[in-house]
Amino acid sequence: KQEVTQIPAALSVPEGENLVLNCSFTDSAIYNLQWFRQDPGKGLTSLLLIQSSQREQTSGRLNASLDKSSGRSTLYIAASQPGDSATYLCAVEGNEKLTFGTGTRLTIIP
Amino acid sequence: NAGVTQTPKFRVLKTGQSMTLLCAQDMNHEYMYWYRQDPGMGLRLIHYSVGEGTTAKGEVPDGYNVSRLKKQNFLLGLESAAPSQTSVYFCASSYRSAGGPNEQFFGPGTRLTVL
């Protein structure tokens, strides 16, 4: 059974810093990995999707990498802003279904 | 283009009552999903559908039923609500092409409390 872990559960950093969020998974037989953002009381917003054949994807200040063989993905956020404060979830797809991590709650301190 | 919408946004039920949650998408997606989100547990898949008229069980299907009579709608039913079903429910949809990515798009959620 696929298990997805995100450590740490919470992270606080000063505004302007670059930061990395981590995601690890136990079964490397995945089709893709997706990073989401969730604001309090809201739904999930898709940030980046990396297909299994890709190593990274970039969107603006966000860069996500994927290392299938080691079962790891990272989400890099450059020049963090207070508006980046949210919970970040990663999810891996296998057999038409997503398995989610429990997320990292990120707080950017002005 | 509204994306994925969910009705209602909030609901309070008494134990044993029944209700139906409605999910609608206007993106012509084939796949639709129902998840529940509980503190410390992450999102867990309840049921999903790979096309009109099809449904399949996910990780936590007990106590729920679903129907996909129209491509754009996916209904989640609770026949006899229990306090353990207190949760936030999310619907999602995706377009799946052969060999292509399965990017899922989520609705805003329904917060359900069972007393």
Side-chain angles (χ1 to χ4, degrees):
Chain A
K1 179 184 174 186
Q2 178 74 268
E3 293 184 3
V4 180
T5 303
Q6 293 183 251
I7 296 174
L11 179 66
S12 294
V13 300
E15 179 179 1
E17 284 198 2
N18 303 325
L19 61 100
V20 175
L21 304 180
N22 297 298
C23 173
S24 61
F25 47 95
T26 54
D27 185 351
S28 62
I30 65 171
Y31 291 107
N32 59 55
L33 184 144
Q34 199 167 351
W35 280 94
F36 295 89
R37 169 189 173 130
Q38 186 176 28
D39 293 289
K42 304 292 186 181
L44 280 69
T45 300
S46 179
L47 297 174
L48 290 165
L49 182 147
I50 310 176
Q51 296 185 62
S52 61
S53 58
Q54 299 173 324
R55 302 247 344 146
E56 65 178 323
Q57 281 285 342
T58 297
S59 176
R61 296 182 293 109
L62 305 180
N63 176 276
S65 68
L66 173 63
D67 184 342
K68 271 183 56 177
S69 60
S70 66
R72 295 176 187 272
S73 176
T74 62
L75 179 66
Y76 174 83
I77 302 177
S80 59
Q81 303 170 357
D84 295 330
S85 296
T87 296
Y88 291 80
L89 300 160
C90 74
V92 297
E93 185 198 357
N95 199 21
E96 298 181 331
K97 290 171 275 189
L98 287 182
T99 301
F100 283 82
T102 52
T104 294
R105 188 172 69 251
L106 176 65
T107 302
I108 306 300
I109 305 165
Chain B
N1 190 336
V4 180
T5 58
Q6 293 183 233
T7 308
K9 288 185 171 53
F10 303 93
R11 186 72 185 268
V12 178
L13 289 179
K14 294 181 180 179
T15 297
Q17 288 185 319
S18 63
M19 77 163 293
T20 300
L21 282 66
L22 171 64
C23 175
Q25 54 93 4
D26 61 2
M27 297 175 282
N28 201 34
H29 285 169
E30 289 293 334
Y31 286 50
M32 296 187 75
Y33 310 83
W34 276 107
Y35 295 90
R36 59 178 290 173
Q37 186 177 37
D38 303 290
M41 303 281 293
L43 276 85
R44 292 179 292 168
L45 182 65
I46 304 171
H47 286 281
Y48 66 104
S49 168
V50 300
E52 182 178 323
T54 74
T55 62
K57 293 181 180 180
E59 182 184 355
V60 288
D62 294 341
Y64 306 94
N65 56 76
V66 288
S67 64
R68 183 99 182 267
L69 299 180
K70 294 182 178 180
K71 184 177 183 179
Q72 64 268 33
N73 295 338
F74 195 29
L75 279 64
L76 178 71
L78 286 71
E79 290 186 348
S80 179
S84 62
Q85 294 178 303
T86 293
S87 187
V88 181
Y89 291 85
F90 288 100
C91 176
S93 70
S94 68
Y95 173 76
R96 190 65 181 272
S97 61
N102 183 20
E103 186 174 9
Q104 294 192 18
F105 297 87
F106 280 74
T110 295
R111 188 173 296 273
L112 175 66
T113 301
V114 183
L115 302 175

